[in-house]
PDB file of all heavy atoms in Angstrom:
ATOM      1  N   GLN A  78      29.999  21.169  -1.857  1.00 98.00           N
ATOM      2  CA  GLN A  78      30.822  20.468  -0.871  1.00 98.00           C
ATOM      3  C   GLN A  78      32.206  20.183  -1.444  1.00 98.00           C
ATOM      4  O   GLN A  78      32.336  19.618  -2.522  1.00 98.00           O
ATOM      5  CB  GLN A  78      30.175  19.139  -0.478  1.00 98.00           C
ATOM      6  CG  GLN A  78      28.920  19.299   0.353  1.00 98.00           C
ATOM      7  CD  GLN A  78      28.321  17.954   0.754  1.00 98.00           C
ATOM      8  OE1 GLN A  78      28.731  16.894   0.292  1.00 98.00           O
ATOM      9  NE2 GLN A  78      27.330  18.019   1.636  1.00 98.00           N
ATOM     10  N   LEU A 331      31.254  18.426  -4.935  1.00 98.00           N
ATOM     11  CA  LEU A 331      29.867  18.075  -5.255  1.00 98.00           C
ATOM     12  C   LEU A 331      29.036  19.359  -5.238  1.00 98.00           C
ATOM     13  O   LEU A 331      29.112  20.139  -4.287  1.00 98.00           O
ATOM     14  CB  LEU A 331      29.297  17.097  -4.223  1.00 98.00           C
ATOM     15  CG  LEU A 331      30.043  15.778  -3.994  1.00 98.00           C
ATOM     16  CD1 LEU A 331      29.245  14.887  -3.046  1.00 98.00           C
ATOM     17  CD2 LEU A 331      30.274  15.040  -5.294  1.00 98.00           C
ATOM     18  N   THR A 336      20.157  22.129  -2.835  1.00 97.00           N
ATOM     19  CA  THR A 336      20.088  20.837  -2.152  1.00 97.00           C
ATOM     20  C   THR A 336      21.341  20.607  -1.304  1.00 97.00           C
ATOM     21  O   THR A 336      21.255  20.293  -0.127  1.00 97.00           O
ATOM     22  CB  THR A 336      19.926  19.689  -3.166  1.00 97.00           C
ATOM     23  OG1 THR A 336      18.656  19.837  -3.801  1.00 97.00           O
ATOM     24  CG2 THR A 336      19.985  18.324  -2.490  1.00 97.00           C
ATOM     25  N   ILE A 337      22.505  20.771  -1.916  1.00 98.00           N
ATOM     26  CA  ILE A 337      23.764  20.633  -1.181  1.00 98.00           C
ATOM     27  C   ILE A 337      24.144  21.996  -0.620  1.00 98.00           C
ATOM     28  O   ILE A 337      24.290  22.960  -1.368  1.00 98.00           O
ATOM     29  CB  ILE A 337      24.884  20.097  -2.103  1.00 98.00           C
ATOM     30  CG1 ILE A 337      24.608  18.637  -2.455  1.00 98.00           C
ATOM     31  CG2 ILE A 337      26.248  20.249  -1.437  1.00 98.00           C
ATOM     32  CD1 ILE A 337      25.656  18.019  -3.368  1.00 98.00           C
ATOM     33  N   THR A 354      25.019   6.171  -4.785  1.00 98.00           N
ATOM     34  CA  THR A 354      24.300   7.405  -4.464  1.00 98.00           C
ATOM     35  C   THR A 354      23.439   7.856  -5.645  1.00 98.00           C
ATOM     36  O   THR A 354      22.266   8.207  -5.485  1.00 98.00           O
ATOM     37  CB  THR A 354      25.321   8.509  -4.100  1.00 98.00           C
ATOM     38  OG1 THR A 354      26.159   8.021  -3.052  1.00 98.00           O
ATOM     39  CG2 THR A 354      24.624   9.777  -3.644  1.00 98.00           C
ATOM     40  N   LEU A 358      19.391   8.138  -5.867  1.00 98.00           N
ATOM     41  CA  LEU A 358      18.773   9.432  -6.166  1.00 98.00           C
ATOM     42  C   LEU A 358      17.828   9.319  -7.360  1.00 98.00           C
ATOM     43  O   LEU A 358      16.865  10.068  -7.474  1.00 98.00           O
ATOM     44  CB  LEU A 358      19.849  10.489  -6.462  1.00 98.00           C
ATOM     45  CG  LEU A 358      20.620  11.024  -5.249  1.00 98.00           C
ATOM     46  CD1 LEU A 358      21.851  11.802  -5.707  1.00 98.00           C
ATOM     47  CD2 LEU A 358      19.726  11.903  -4.383  1.00 98.00           C
ATOM     48  N   LEU A 374      25.937   7.991  -0.163  1.00 98.00           N
ATOM     49  CA  LEU A 374      26.403   9.240   0.444  1.00 98.00           C
ATOM     50  C   LEU A 374      25.281  10.268   0.631  1.00 98.00           C
ATOM     51  O   LEU A 374      25.552  11.413   1.001  1.00 98.00           O
ATOM     52  CB  LEU A 374      27.522   9.862  -0.407  1.00 98.00           C
ATOM     53  CG  LEU A 374      28.804   9.035  -0.584  1.00 98.00           C
ATOM     54  CD1 LEU A 374      29.802   9.800  -1.448  1.00 98.00           C
ATOM     55  CD2 LEU A 374      29.432   8.678   0.759  1.00 98.00           C
ATOM     56  N   ARG A 375      24.039   9.881   0.365  1.00 98.00           N
ATOM     57  CA  ARG A 375      22.955  10.872   0.484  1.00 98.00           C
ATOM     58  C   ARG A 375      22.881  11.560   1.848  1.00 98.00           C
ATOM     59  O   ARG A 375      22.610  12.758   1.899  1.00 98.00           O
ATOM     60  CB  ARG A 375      21.609  10.225   0.126  1.00 98.00           C
ATOM     61  CG  ARG A 375      21.428  10.003  -1.376  1.00 98.00           C
ATOM     62  CD  ARG A 375      20.090   9.364  -1.680  1.00 98.00           C
ATOM     63  NE  ARG A 375      19.953   8.110  -0.936  1.00 98.00           N
ATOM     64  CZ  ARG A 375      18.805   7.456  -0.798  1.00 98.00           C
ATOM     65  NH1 ARG A 375      17.711   7.913  -1.339  1.00 98.00           N
ATOM     66  NH2 ARG A 375      18.769   6.320  -0.116  1.00 98.00           N
ATOM     67  N   PRO A 376      23.154  10.834   2.963  1.00 98.00           N
ATOM     68  CA  PRO A 376      23.106  11.556   4.251  1.00 98.00           C
ATOM     69  C   PRO A 376      24.055  12.757   4.269  1.00 98.00           C
ATOM     70  O   PRO A 376      23.705  13.809   4.821  1.00 98.00           O
ATOM     71  CB  PRO A 376      23.552  10.495   5.261  1.00 98.00           C
ATOM     72  CG  PRO A 376      23.221   9.184   4.621  1.00 98.00           C
ATOM     73  CD  PRO A 376      23.387   9.399   3.145  1.00 98.00           C
ATOM     74  N   VAL A 377      25.222  12.621   3.673  1.00 98.00           N
ATOM     75  CA  VAL A 377      26.177  13.736   3.674  1.00 98.00           C
ATOM     76  C   VAL A 377      25.695  14.823   2.707  1.00 98.00           C
ATOM     77  O   VAL A 377      25.746  16.015   3.020  1.00 98.00           O
ATOM     78  CB  VAL A 377      27.599  13.266   3.273  1.00 98.00           C
ATOM     79  CG1 VAL A 377      28.609  14.365   3.564  1.00 98.00           C
ATOM     80  CG2 VAL A 377      27.967  11.975   3.978  1.00 98.00           C
ATOM     81  N   LEU A 378      25.207  14.415   1.545  1.00 98.00           N
ATOM     82  CA  LEU A 378      24.732  15.404   0.561  1.00 98.00           C
ATOM     83  C   LEU A 378      23.623  16.270   1.144  1.00 98.00           C
ATOM     84  O   LEU A 378      23.586  17.478   0.935  1.00 98.00           O
ATOM     85  CB  LEU A 378      24.188  14.686  -0.685  1.00 98.00           C
ATOM     86  CG  LEU A 378      25.127  14.510  -1.875  1.00 98.00           C
ATOM     87  CD1 LEU A 378      26.394  13.789  -1.480  1.00 98.00           C
ATOM     88  CD2 LEU A 378      24.433  13.745  -2.996  1.00 98.00           C
ATOM     89  N   PHE A 379      22.716  15.634   1.868  1.00 98.00           N
ATOM     90  CA  PHE A 379      21.561  16.358   2.397  1.00 98.00           C
ATOM     91  C   PHE A 379      21.824  16.966   3.769  1.00 98.00           C
ATOM     92  O   PHE A 379      20.915  17.530   4.382  1.00 98.00           O
ATOM     93  CB  PHE A 379      20.340  15.424   2.483  1.00 98.00           C
ATOM     94  CG  PHE A 379      19.907  14.879   1.146  1.00 98.00           C
ATOM     95  CD1 PHE A 379      19.415  13.584   1.040  1.00 98.00           C
ATOM     96  CD2 PHE A 379      19.983  15.660  -0.006  1.00 98.00           C
ATOM     97  CE1 PHE A 379      19.003  13.077  -0.189  1.00 98.00           C
ATOM     98  CE2 PHE A 379      19.572  15.152  -1.236  1.00 98.00           C
ATOM     99  CZ  PHE A 379      19.095  13.861  -1.322  1.00 98.00           C
ATOM    100  N   GLY A 380      23.050  16.815   4.279  1.00 97.00           N
ATOM    101  CA  GLY A 380      23.380  17.372   5.591  1.00 97.00           C
ATOM    102  C   GLY A 380      22.649  16.691   6.728  1.00 97.00           C
ATOM    103  O   GLY A 380      22.393  17.278   7.778  1.00 97.00           O
TER     104      GLY A 380
END
Side-chain angles (χ1 to χ4, degrees):
Q78 290 181 351
L331 303 186
T336 294
I337 290 180
T354 305
L358 285 167
L374 298 180
R375 285 180 304 167
V377 192
L378 264 56
F379 298 144

